[in-house]
């Protein structure tokens, strides 16, 4: 299924972006969300396979096996990451499907959401937005990536009694429903699965689960992790109307006579097309991230095809480092490609992923969509 031209361009563009940032770790994935065919997949730092087959490469092999950067570790299918705000489409979809919120209902973000402290009324707990957004509804909250909106739909707040919180149990239910806690079954070894902890896990640790923990997982932080391939497969399935395919590489196997001895066709993984009305609202929010002035992916708006996307920045290691994501698909109306760009330890959060994603989507339009149409 790999598209050699796309793989080469995406890989080189990602390496250029990482080099410019002085970084060496990241992931790129592109797939066809209609079929599950993986068009491009790579993990940085990379390595030359010939080091393990060419004589006289002992030193190179030793370096690869012992490098702390773990070049042999396939981050795309084996890495687990806090997804940051890229999980917000799942949160929005769950809240809409449950009937907990209507798309036009607004939440006010002045940059801080306060929760009363039962032990010290003068010292409330404070949960931050990355900026003050003012009034945001589902569309603008996805477009601008408002944390406070998702705190409220995830964990609730006394100021918004008309919005029923999902709560951690329901968030876990949807996390499992969309397959984040399972392997996708991709035809490569070493696939990992995501994790979302909850109150029972905390009890075993001798601690209690607080509303702040629910707030954190509602924005893809804290006790939530996903695998890059899982994440882009889910995002692509939103563009495909709720039809999630099993991602795969091998379309057919031929013998030495060039005869097909085994062929593989797309397989359904999860079908949530019955969420149709909710999916359309989330699609609109992800489209607004690209085509509105305050959208976090607005720099994609001048692409020659429509696109939908979601950015994300996940703080790790005590907020000392930030992993930056972009996930999206195009054309927005009937996507042929869904892509994920992940830069580990980014300097400017998701801003470091947008230029890479933009160039890859432009290349795909010019070299695949247009040429196919001709």
């Amino acid at each position: 299924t790999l598209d050699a031209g796309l793989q080469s361009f995406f890989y080189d563009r990602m390496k250029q972006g990482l080099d410019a940032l002085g970084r060496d770790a990241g992931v790129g994935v592109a797939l066809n969300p209609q079929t599950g065919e993986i068009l491009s997949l790579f993990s940085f730092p990379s390595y030359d396979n010939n080091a393990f087959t060419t004589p006289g490469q002992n030193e190179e092999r030793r370096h690869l096996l012992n490098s702390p950067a773990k070049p042999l570790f396939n981050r795309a299918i084996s890495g687990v990451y806090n997804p940051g705000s890229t999980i917000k489409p799942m949160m929005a979809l769950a809240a809409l499907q449950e009937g907990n919120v209507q798309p036009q209902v607004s939440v006010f973000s002045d940059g801080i959401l306060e929760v009363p402290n039962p032990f010290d009324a003068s010292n409330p707990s404070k949960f931050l937005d990355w900026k003050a957004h003012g009034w945001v509804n589902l569309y603008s909250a996805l477009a601008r990536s408002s944390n406070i909106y998702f705190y409220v739909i995830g964990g609730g707040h006394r100021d918004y009694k008309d919005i029923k919180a999902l709560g951690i149990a329901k968030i876990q239910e949807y996390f499992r429903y969309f397959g984040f806690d399972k392997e996708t079954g991709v035809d490569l070894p070493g696939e990992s699965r995501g994790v979302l902890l909850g109150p029972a896990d905390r009890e075993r640790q001798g601690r209690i689960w607080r509303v702040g923990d629910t707030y954190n997982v509602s924005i893809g932080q804290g006790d939530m992790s996903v695998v890059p391939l899982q994440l882009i497969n889910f995002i692509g399935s939103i563009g495909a109307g709720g039809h999630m395919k099993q991602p795969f590489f091998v379309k057919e196997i031929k013998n030495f006579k060039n005869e097909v001895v085994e062929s593989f066709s797309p397989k359904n993984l999860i079908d949530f097309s019955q969420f149709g009305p909710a999916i359309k609202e989330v699609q609109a929010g992800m489209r607004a991230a690209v085509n509105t002035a305050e959208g976090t992916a607005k720099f994609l708006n001048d692409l020659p095809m429509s696109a939908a996307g979601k950015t994300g920045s996940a703080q790790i290691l005590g907020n000392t480092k930030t992993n930056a994501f972009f996930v999206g698909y195009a054309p927005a109306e009937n996507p042929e490609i869904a892509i994920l760009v992940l830069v580990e330890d980014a300097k400017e959060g998701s801003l470091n992923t947008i230029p890479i994603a933009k160039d890859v989507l432009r290349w795909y339009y010019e070299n695949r969509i247009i040429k196919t149409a001709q």
Side-chain angles (χ1 to χ4, degrees):
T1 66
L2 285 174
D3 181 322
L6 176 64
Q7 173 81 352
S8 178
F9 181 85
F10 197 172
Y11 178 94
D12 290 344
R13 181 63 184 86
M14 185 76 172
K15 188 175 189 307
Q16 178 189 22
L18 290 173
D19 289 347
L21 293 168
R23 300 292 184 261
D24 63 1
V27 172
V29 183
L31 53 80
N32 182 337
Q34 309 290 351
T35 64
E37 295 176 41
I38 297 174
L39 307 175
S40 175
L41 184 146
F42 53 82
S43 171
F44 279 99
S46 189
Y47 64 98
D48 185 351
N49 292 334
N50 292 315
F52 293 92
T53 59
T54 305
Q57 297 292 313
N58 289 345
E59 188 59 38
E60 177 64 14
R61 286 195 288 271
R62 188 176 298 110
H63 168 73
L64 291 173
L65 290 167
N66 296 315
S67 171
K70 299 182 178 180
L72 303 182
F73 181 67
N74 189 339
R75 289 163 162 80
I77 67 165
S78 301
V80 288
Y81 299 85
N82 288 137
S85 294
T86 59
I87 205 64
K88 289 174 180 175
M90 187 201 83
M91 295 295 300
L93 193 56
L96 289 168
Q97 185 62 22
E98 290 295 309
N100 289 5
V101 67
Q102 296 302 312
Q104 299 296 347
V105 171
S106 294
V107 168
F108 187 75
S109 168
D110 61 1
I112 299 174
L113 186 69
E114 293 189 353
V115 175
N117 184 337
F119 307 105
D120 183 1
S122 65
N123 187 29
S125 298
K126 296 181 179 181
F127 297 88
L128 303 180
D129 216 327
W130 67 276
K131 65 176 286 187
H133 298 282
W135 288 101
V136 288
N137 58 23
L138 182 125
Y139 312 115
S140 53
L142 282 170
R144 304 178 196 176
S145 203
S146 166
N147 288 343
I148 287 178
Y149 180 90
F150 289 94
Y151 293 152
V152 173
I153 69 169
H157 192 270
R158 63 180 183 179
D159 290 345
Y160 299 99
K161 293 182 172 58
D162 56 338
I163 297 176
K164 181 182 178 182
L166 282 165
I168 186 57
K170 188 61 70 171
I171 296 171
Q172 286 181 308
E173 181 181 322
Y174 276 91
F175 188 85
R176 291 189 294 266
Y177 179 84
F178 292 121
F180 284 112
D181 66 332
K182 306 174 186 68
E183 297 173 0
T184 67
V186 66
D187 44 353
L188 274 183
E191 186 178 13
S192 295
R193 61 187 70 181
V195 175
L196 174 55
L197 302 184
D201 303 286
R202 283 291 175 82
E203 285 180 17
R204 285 191 289 269
Q205 299 168 357
R207 299 187 294 161
I208 64 171
W209 186 271
R210 302 179 187 277
V211 68
D213 297 308
T214 304
Y215 284 172
N216 282 334
V217 300
S218 298
I219 62 167
Q221 299 274 179
D223 295 314
M224 173 188 281
S225 62
V226 302
V227 178
L229 181 60
Q230 288 179 330
L231 178 59
I232 191 54
N233 203 37
F234 168 70
I235 293 295
S237 69
I238 292 176
H243 300 282
M244 186 188 296
K245 301 295 185 179
Q246 183 179 60
F248 69 106
F249 286 96
V250 180
K251 295 180 73 171
E252 60 186 23
I253 298 173
K254 297 180 180 179
N255 63 17
F256 69 99
K257 297 179 181 180
N258 206 35
E259 299 167 335
V260 176
V261 296
E262 192 171 2
S263 60
F264 302 86
S265 57
K267 297 179 182 177
N268 294 326
L269 193 61
I270 302 169
D271 187 341
F272 58 98
S273 57
Q274 70 273 20
F275 294 5
I279 293 171
K280 289 185 181 300
E281 305 294 1
V282 175
Q283 288 173 340
M286 292 179 64
R287 185 76 184 96
V290 173
N291 63 13
T292 60
E294 294 186 307
T296 57
K298 64 184 177 183
F299 295 113
L300 302 181
N301 195 31
D302 61 351
L303 283 170
M305 62 178 170
S306 60
K310 187 73 197 73
T311 57
S313 298
Q315 285 71 43
I316 60 171
L317 301 177
N319 294 333
T320 60
K321 293 184 178 180
T322 298
N323 291 334
F325 289 86
F326 171 81
V327 291
Y329 54 84
E333 299 80 15
N334 189 28
E336 297 183 22
I337 183 173
I339 74 166
L340 173 146
V341 178
L342 162 62
V343 175
E344 291 190 21
D345 192 16
K347 289 185 176 181
E348 300 171 289
S350 58
L351 288 176
N352 294 148
T353 64
I354 296 290
I356 298 170
K358 182 175 184 177
D359 288 346
V360 172
L361 290 172
R362 185 182 298 278
W363 184 95
Y364 194 81
Y365 176 80
E366 294 172 351
N367 293 274
R368 295 296 180 264
I369 293 180
I370 287 296
K371 290 187 177 180
T372 300
Q374 293 173 344

Short mmCIF file of all heavy atoms in Angstrom, two decimals, residues 16-39:
data_model
loop_
_atom_site.label_atom_id
_atom_site.label_comp_id
_atom_site.label_asym_id
_atom_site.label_seq_id
_atom_site.Cartn_x
_atom_site.Cartn_y
_atom_site.Cartn_z
N GLN A 16 13.71 17.53 7.41
CA GLN A 16 14.05 18.96 7.29
C GLN A 16 13.47 19.74 8.47
O GLN A 16 14.14 20.60 9.06
CB GLN A 16 13.49 19.51 5.98
CG GLN A 16 13.74 21.00 5.77
CD GLN A 16 13.00 21.54 4.56
OE1 GLN A 16 12.00 20.96 4.11
NE2 GLN A 16 13.47 22.65 4.03
N GLY A 17 12.22 19.45 8.83
CA GLY A 17 11.59 20.15 9.94
C GLY A 17 12.26 19.86 11.26
O GLY A 17 12.48 20.76 12.08
N LEU A 18 12.60 18.60 11.49
CA LEU A 18 13.28 18.23 12.73
C LEU A 18 14.66 18.86 12.81
O LEU A 18 15.06 19.38 13.86
CB LEU A 18 13.38 16.70 12.85
CG LEU A 18 12.09 15.94 13.10
CD1 LEU A 18 12.33 14.44 13.02
CD2 LEU A 18 11.48 16.30 14.44
N ASP A 19 15.39 18.82 11.70
CA ASP A 19 16.73 19.41 11.69
C ASP A 19 16.68 20.91 11.99
O ASP A 19 17.54 21.43 12.72
CB ASP A 19 17.40 19.18 10.34
CG ASP A 19 17.80 17.73 10.11
OD1 ASP A 19 17.79 16.96 11.09
OD2 ASP A 19 18.10 17.37 8.96
N ALA A 20 15.69 21.59 11.44
CA ALA A 20 15.56 23.03 11.66
C ALA A 20 15.30 23.35 13.13
O ALA A 20 15.68 24.42 13.62
CB ALA A 20 14.44 23.60 10.79
N LEU A 21 14.64 22.43 13.83
CA LEU A 21 14.33 22.62 15.25
C LEU A 21 15.43 22.10 16.16
O LEU A 21 15.37 22.30 17.38
CB LEU A 21 13.03 21.90 15.60
CG LEU A 21 11.75 22.44 14.97
CD1 LEU A 21 10.61 21.45 15.19
CD2 LEU A 21 11.39 23.80 15.56
N GLY A 22 16.39 21.40 15.58
CA GLY A 22 17.41 20.78 16.41
C GLY A 22 16.87 19.59 17.17
O GLY A 22 17.34 19.28 18.27
N ARG A 23 15.90 18.90 16.59
CA ARG A 23 15.28 17.75 17.23
C ARG A 23 15.51 16.51 16.37
O ARG A 23 15.75 16.61 15.16
CB ARG A 23 13.78 17.98 17.43
CG ARG A 23 13.46 19.18 18.32
CD ARG A 23 13.90 18.92 19.75
NE ARG A 23 13.53 19.99 20.66
CZ ARG A 23 14.35 20.96 21.07
NH1 ARG A 23 15.61 20.99 20.61
NH2 ARG A 23 13.95 21.87 21.91
N ASP A 24 15.39 15.32 16.98
CA ASP A 24 15.66 14.11 16.21
C ASP A 24 14.58 13.05 16.35
O ASP A 24 14.73 11.95 15.81
CB ASP A 24 17.01 13.51 16.59
CG ASP A 24 17.08 13.06 18.05
OD1 ASP A 24 16.06 13.20 18.76
OD2 ASP A 24 18.13 12.58 18.47
N ALA A 25 13.48 13.33 17.06
CA ALA A 25 12.46 12.31 17.30
C ALA A 25 11.09 12.79 16.83
O ALA A 25 10.67 13.92 17.12
CB ALA A 25 12.40 11.94 18.78
N GLY A 26 10.40 11.91 16.12
CA GLY A 26 9.06 12.26 15.65
C GLY A 26 8.45 11.11 14.87
O GLY A 26 9.06 10.05 14.69
N VAL A 27 7.24 11.34 14.39
CA VAL A 27 6.47 10.32 13.68
C VAL A 27 5.72 10.97 12.53
O VAL A 27 5.21 12.09 12.66
CB VAL A 27 5.45 9.63 14.61
CG1 VAL A 27 4.51 8.71 13.83
CG2 VAL A 27 6.15 8.84 15.71
N GLY A 28 5.65 10.26 11.42
CA GLY A 28 4.78 10.66 10.32
C GLY A 28 3.98 9.47 9.86
O GLY A 28 4.52 8.37 9.69
N VAL A 29 2.68 9.66 9.68
CA VAL A 29 1.80 8.59 9.18
C VAL A 29 0.80 9.21 8.22
O VAL A 29 0.26 10.30 8.48
CB VAL A 29 1.02 7.88 10.31
CG1 VAL A 29 0.17 6.73 9.73
CG2 VAL A 29 1.93 7.37 11.41
N ALA A 30 0.57 8.54 7.11
CA ALA A 30 -0.50 8.91 6.19
C ALA A 30 -1.23 7.65 5.78
O ALA A 30 -0.59 6.62 5.50
CB ALA A 30 0.05 9.64 4.97
N LEU A 31 -2.54 7.71 5.77
CA LEU A 31 -3.33 6.56 5.33
C LEU A 31 -4.56 7.02 4.59
O LEU A 31 -4.96 8.19 4.65
CB LEU A 31 -3.70 5.66 6.51
CG LEU A 31 -4.39 6.25 7.75
CD1 LEU A 31 -5.89 6.45 7.51
CD2 LEU A 31 -4.20 5.34 8.96
N ASN A 32 -5.15 6.08 3.87
CA ASN A 32 -6.41 6.34 3.19
C ASN A 32 -7.53 5.93 4.14
O ASN A 32 -7.71 4.74 4.40
CB ASN A 32 -6.49 5.53 1.90
CG ASN A 32 -7.77 5.79 1.12
OD1 ASN A 32 -8.78 6.22 1.68
ND2 ASN A 32 -7.73 5.54 -0.17
N PRO A 33 -8.28 6.88 4.68
CA PRO A 33 -9.30 6.53 5.69
C PRO A 33 -10.47 5.75 5.13
O PRO A 33 -11.23 5.15 5.89
CB PRO A 33 -9.74 7.89 6.23
CG PRO A 33 -9.47 8.85 5.12
CD PRO A 33 -8.23 8.33 4.43
N GLN A 34 -10.61 5.74 3.81
CA GLN A 34 -11.71 4.99 3.21
C GLN A 34 -11.42 3.50 3.14
O GLN A 34 -12.34 2.68 3.10
CB GLN A 34 -11.99 5.50 1.79
CG GLN A 34 -12.15 7.00 1.67
CD GLN A 34 -13.44 7.53 2.29
OE1 GLN A 34 -14.31 6.75 2.67
NE2 GLN A 34 -13.57 8.83 2.38
N THR A 35 -10.12 3.14 3.15
CA THR A 35 -9.74 1.74 2.95
C THR A 35 -8.85 1.19 4.07
O THR A 35 -8.76 -0.03 4.23
CB THR A 35 -8.97 1.57 1.63
OG1 THR A 35 -7.74 2.30 1.70
CG2 THR A 35 -9.81 2.06 0.45
N GLY A 36 -8.15 2.05 4.79
CA GLY A 36 -7.18 1.62 5.78
C GLY A 36 -5.79 1.42 5.21
O GLY A 36 -4.86 1.05 5.95
N GLU A 37 -5.60 1.64 3.92
CA GLU A 37 -4.29 1.46 3.30
C GLU A 37 -3.30 2.50 3.84
O GLU A 37 -3.57 3.70 3.81
CB GLU A 37 -4.40 1.60 1.78
CG GLU A 37 -5.24 0.52 1.13
CD GLU A 37 -5.41 0.74 -0.36
OE1 GLU A 37 -4.43 1.13 -1.02
OE2 GLU A 37 -6.53 0.52 -0.86
N ILE A 38 -2.17 2.01 4.34
CA ILE A 38 -1.14 2.92 4.86
C ILE A 38 -0.31 3.41 3.69
O ILE A 38 0.34 2.62 2.99
CB ILE A 38 -0.28 2.22 5.92
CG1 ILE A 38 -1.15 1.84 7.12
CG2 ILE A 38 0.87 3.11 6.35
CD1 ILE A 38 -0.44 1.02 8.18
N LEU A 39 -0.32 4.71 3.47
CA LEU A 39 0.38 5.32 2.34
C LEU A 39 1.80 5.73 2.70
O LEU A 39 2.67 5.78 1.84
CB LEU A 39 -0.40 6.55 1.86
CG LEU A 39 -1.88 6.32 1.55
CD1 LEU A 39 -2.57 7.63 1.20
CD2 LEU A 39 -2.04 5.31 0.41
#
